């Protein structure tokens, strides 16, 4: 398809229509279970998508945008899928309830039972159950009174689910307008180190004062990805020519030390937070930028070999003991690595490789959590120690309960959701994604796959691949190294973050607790993703302007032969 604005606007309008149909399907599924959905929320979602469908017309009309619209269209598709899944989850009273989840679940089950009885039980059976003796008949949902939605128009308009997308759209437009200017690009390239330092100081303070990786209910380090990327791209754009001077594939110390220092800075707050997921994403992005900047095969070979070695050491050290015992000498080699690895990383690897089999209570990284869980049980039942002394096997039951209550319940529910979705899914509004904790954020792919199946998961994956491919094409067309590295880094951030999220949910990678770009419900995560989109659109627009200048530059035209 050609890069015509009208073609992409048509696709965006089609996305709005399909989203409206999806919202109606969710509404119908809610009526089957006895509760109503919020029409205000549905209208809000469709208005947001309609605004995004109009923006290309505005940019083409007033800014003469001439970049790659594929970036924008694929991002809006992902965002529409995210809005649909969030509408499904936040409409469910069981998912949104904090205290009465069991009661909300019982009401849904009761409604479905009555529907089944009305459609399948004879008049005699109904009379025996104390119900009206009516013959079997289809359920007329229009005659029933569902549980009303709790949302009102004012609450919907002032909620974070409305404000955050609007801020994300504003951030995208602001990033696009700023990054179009040569002066802004030059300022960022010349002051990359200062930008990183100004970002790092408040970020470390926020990391120290945060609780469970959050300040309140927010993750303010999400926007820090952009300045960290700019700083690393700026110094790499200056040093990449000198990196070609190597000895056995290793650059000179005076060239590589500033680069390593700039690359290590972002890991300081994430190490304080013990955020393994962000460290994985940053490592992958920085390695990608280095591979793009260097030219020699020996340099790339050394980098890839180093990454493989580090990953191998990490995996060996974090493998569950039962897995290590199957390979000779592996426990001996892994012992010193285990002493260095944080407990959180060992937990993640055990959940990944042996998540349905809890570790023993004596395991170092699990002992504290188990002891706290056991202490709470003793407070409820003081006779528990005596029961444990009489029946030692009871400890295994307590250990399994503690494991799934504290760590393994969420990934286990996500795995069951993926399995129940199958190829085509259970249908919008007809699955049970509300049983997955935090299904609207970190585990939104599991909720999506349960109701839309493999096809829905492939749709998200395909949209992400298209987005990253368009971003790489933008980087390839860039004329200067700084723009090229920034475009590659932005695309890599979206791609690797999606890979880590989807890989963790499908158990192809350790689960790390990061969001799915453009899809997950989140404040700073969504705003950062759209800001990255705006920057990529600006780079794409600049590339198109550069091509047009070359076409009309007389110095680039072929010389003509004088007939005389």
């Amino acid at each position: 398809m050609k890069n015509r604005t009208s073609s992409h606007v048509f696709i965006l309008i089609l996305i709005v229509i399909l989203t409206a149909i999806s919202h109606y399907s969710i509404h119908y599924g809610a009526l089957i279970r006895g509760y109503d959905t919020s029409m205000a929320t549905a209208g809000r979602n469709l208005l947001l998508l309609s605004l995004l469908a109009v923006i290309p017309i505005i940019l083409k009309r007033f800014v003469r945008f001439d970049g790659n619209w594929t970036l924008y269209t694929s991002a809006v598709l992902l965002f529409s899928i995210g809005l649909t899944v969030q509408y499904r989850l936040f409409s469910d009273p069981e998912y949104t309830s904090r205290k009465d989840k069991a009661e909300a679940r019982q009401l849904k089950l009761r409604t479905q039972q009555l529907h089944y009885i009305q459609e399948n039980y004879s008049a005699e059976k109904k009379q025996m159950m104390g119900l009206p003796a009516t013959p079997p008949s289809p359920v007329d949902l229009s005659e029933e009174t569902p549980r009303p939605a709790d949302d009102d128009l004012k609450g919907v308009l002032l909620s974070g689910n409305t404000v955050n997308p609007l801020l994300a759209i504003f951030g995208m437009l602001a990033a696009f307008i700023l990054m179009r200017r040569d002066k802004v690009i030059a300022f960022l390239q010349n002051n990359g180190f200062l930008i990183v330092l100004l970002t790092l100081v408040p970020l470390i303070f926020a990391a120290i004062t945060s609780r469970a990786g959050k300040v309140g209910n927010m993750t303010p380090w999400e926007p820090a990805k952009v300045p960290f990327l700019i700083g690393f791209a700026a110094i790499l754009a200056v040093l990449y020519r000198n990196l070609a001077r190597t000895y056995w594939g290793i650059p000179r110390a005076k060239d590589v030390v500033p680069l390593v220092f700039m690359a290590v800075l972002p890991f300081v707050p994430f190490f304080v937070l013990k955020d393994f997921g962000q460290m994985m994403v940053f490592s992958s992005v920085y390695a990608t930028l280095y591979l793009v900047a260097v030219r020699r095969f020996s340099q790339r070979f050394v980098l890839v070999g180093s990454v493989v070695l580090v990953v191998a050491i990490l995996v060996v050290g974090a493998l569950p003991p039962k897995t290590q015992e199957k390979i000779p000498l592996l426990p001996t080699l892994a012992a010193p690595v285990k002493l260095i690895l944080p407990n959180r990383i060992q937990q993640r690897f055990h959940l990944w490789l042996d998540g349905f089999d809890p570790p023993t209570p004596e395991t170092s990284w699990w002992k504290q959590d188990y002891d706290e869980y056991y202490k709470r049980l003793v407070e409820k039942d003081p006779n528990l120690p005596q029961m444990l002394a009489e029946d030692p096997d009871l400890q295994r039951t307590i250990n399994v309960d503690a494991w799934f209550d504290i760590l393994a319940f969420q990934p286990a529910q996500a795995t069951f959701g993926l399995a129940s979705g199958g190829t085509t899914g259970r249908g919008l509004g007809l699955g049970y994604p509300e049983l997955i904790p935090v299904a609207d954020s970190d585990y939104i792919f599991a909720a999506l796959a349960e109701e839309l199946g493999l096809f829905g998961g492939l749709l998200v994956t395909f949209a992400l691949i298209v987005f990253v491919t368009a971003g790489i094409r933008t980087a390839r067309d860039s004329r200067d190294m700084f723009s090229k590295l920034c475009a590659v880094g932005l695309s890599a951030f979206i791609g690797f973050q999606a890979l880590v999220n989807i890989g963790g949910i499908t158990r192809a990678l350790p689960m790390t607790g990061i969001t799915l770009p453009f899809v997950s419900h989140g404040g700073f995560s969504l705003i950062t993703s759209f800001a990255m989109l705006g920057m990529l659109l600006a780079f794409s627009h600049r590339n198109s302007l550069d091509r047009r200048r070359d076409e009309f530059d007389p110095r680039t035209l072929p010389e003509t032969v004088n007939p005389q």
Side-chain angles (χ1 to χ4, degrees), residues 364-510:
S364 59
W365 53 265
W366 170 240
K367 181 174 175 57
Q368 182 179 355
D369 291 330
Y370 173 81
D371 290 342
E372 293 177 356
Y373 185 86
Y374 177 73
K375 184 179 179 180
R376 291 195 297 269
L377 291 180
V378 173
E379 292 176 355
K380 294 180 181 179
D381 186 2
N383 297 323
L384 184 60
Q386 181 179 355
M387 296 169 58
L388 195 60
E390 296 174 356
D391 184 10
D393 292 337
L394 183 60
Q395 186 185 44
R396 173 175 173 79
T397 303
I398 296 174
N399 188 44
V400 171
D401 292 343
W403 175 249
F404 282 97
D405 284 351
I406 298 174
L407 290 177
F409 179 74
Q410 192 175 17
Q413 290 296 102
T415 302
F416 295 146
L418 290 173
S420 64
T423 304
T424 57
R426 303 176 68 95
L428 280 173
L430 301 178
Y432 297 93
E434 63 270 16
L435 301 180
I436 306 173
V438 202
D440 61 287
S441 182
D442 301 347
Y443 282 84
I444 196 168
F445 187 81
L448 165 76
E450 178 175 354
E451 298 207 332
L452 296 180
L454 177 63
F455 292 151
L458 288 177
L459 177 62
V460 171
T461 306
F462 176 74
L464 287 165
I465 292 174
V466 170
F467 181 90
V468 174
T469 304
I472 293 173
R473 181 179 177 183
T474 300
R476 186 189 61 187
D477 295 340
S478 297
R479 301 301 176 90
D480 63 284
M481 181 56 71
F482 177 71
S483 299
K484 187 183 294 291
L485 292 174
C486 283
V488 168
L490 294 168
S491 305
F493 261 121
I494 298 296
F496 282 117
Q497 184 169 332
L499 178 66
V500 170
N501 178 275
I502 296 175
I505 291 173
T506 57
R507 300 177 67 86
L509 292 171

Side-chain angles (χ1 to χ4, degrees), residues 37-358:
T37 57
S38 172
M39 293 297 104
T41 302
R44 186 270 317 275
N45 291 346
L46 296 178
L47 284 176
L48 286 173
L49 291 177
S50 300
L51 175 61
L52 289 170
V54 172
I55 285 178
I57 302 175
I58 298 174
L59 292 180
K60 188 68 175 180
R61 172 81 176 178
F62 297 100
V63 189
R64 299 295 179 185
F65 179 80
D66 199 27
N68 189 355
W69 282 118
T70 305
L71 288 163
Y72 185 83
T73 305
S74 56
V76 173
L77 173 60
L78 290 168
F79 181 60
S80 69
I81 295 172
L83 286 179
T84 302
V85 179
Q86 292 165 35
Y87 181 68
R88 160 67 181 92
L89 291 168
F90 289 120
S91 297
D92 196 313
E94 180 181 352
Y95 187 79
T96 56
S97 176
R98 295 185 177 181
K99 296 181 180 179
D100 302 325
K101 288 184 178 293
E103 180 183 352
R105 185 180 307 167
Q106 288 299 324
L107 289 174
K108 291 194 300 182
L109 292 175
R110 177 65 175 169
T111 301
Q112 293 179 81
Q113 288 171 350
L114 291 176
H115 287 174
Y116 182 83
I117 291 172
Q118 179 177 338
E119 291 180 343
N120 298 279
Y121 279 29
S122 63
E124 293 77 9
K125 279 188 176 182
K126 292 178 181 178
Q127 188 174 15
M128 292 172 61
M129 297 176 66
L131 298 174
T134 57
S137 61
V139 176
D140 187 358
L141 296 177
S142 62
E143 295 182 356
E144 298 194 349
T145 305
R147 177 178 176 180
D150 297 332
D151 301 348
D152 57 0
L153 182 59
K154 181 179 179 181
V156 170
L157 294 178
L158 298 179
S159 68
N161 294 342
T162 302
V163 175
N164 290 332
L166 290 176
L167 290 176
I169 295 171
F170 175 79
M172 176 192 69
L173 295 175
F176 171 75
I177 292 172
L178 290 174
M179 297 302 289
R180 288 171 57 237
R181 303 179 181 276
D182 294 335
K183 292 182 179 180
V184 174
I185 296 292
F187 174 81
L188 295 177
Q189 186 171 0
N190 296 330
N191 298 278
F193 183 69
L194 178 62
I195 293 172
V196 170
L197 288 182
L198 292 176
T199 306
L200 190 64
V201 174
L203 197 60
I204 293 178
F205 177 76
I208 295 173
T209 58
S210 69
R211 182 177 181 181
K214 293 186 177 182
V215 176
N217 199 27
M218 301 179 295
T219 52
W221 20 90
E222 283 283 347
K225 296 174 183 177
V226 175
F228 282 142
L229 170 63
I230 290 173
F232 188 77
I235 193 170
L236 189 56
V238 174
L239 297 177
Y240 79 98
R241 296 183 186 276
N242 297 336
L243 293 176
R245 303 174 183 176
T246 62
Y247 182 76
W248 291 95
I250 301 176
R252 297 177 303 178
K254 68 176 184 178
D255 297 323
V256 77
V257 168
L259 198 62
V260 172
F261 177 76
M262 186 69 77
V264 169
L265 286 179
F267 290 88
V268 176
F270 294 129
F271 185 79
V272 174
L273 292 167
K274 299 179 182 178
D275 195 334
F276 177 54
Q278 296 293 358
M279 287 191 283
M280 282 180 62
V281 173
F282 268 90
S283 301
S284 303
V285 172
Y286 283 176
T288 302
L289 293 181
Y290 185 83
L291 287 174
V292 171
V294 299
R295 305 296 184 185
R296 293 187 175 182
F297 172 79
S298 57
Q299 292 175 284
R300 296 176 176 176
F301 179 80
V302 169
L303 176 66
V304 173
S306 302
V307 171
V308 171
L309 179 62
V310 171
V311 172
I313 294 174
L314 182 66
V315 172
V316 166
L319 284 174
K322 293 181 180 179
T323 305
Q324 293 180 359
E325 292 171 359
K326 298 178 182 178
I327 304 175
L329 299 179
L330 193 58
T332 305
L333 296 174
V337 181
K338 281 188 175 240
L339 297 176
I340 302 173
L341 286 179
N343 291 344
R344 187 178 180 87
I345 293 181
Q346 297 188 55
Q347 288 177 359
R348 296 295 183 181
F349 271 85
H350 191 99
L351 282 169
W352 174 37
L353 298 170
D354 207 4
F356 289 93
D357 189 9

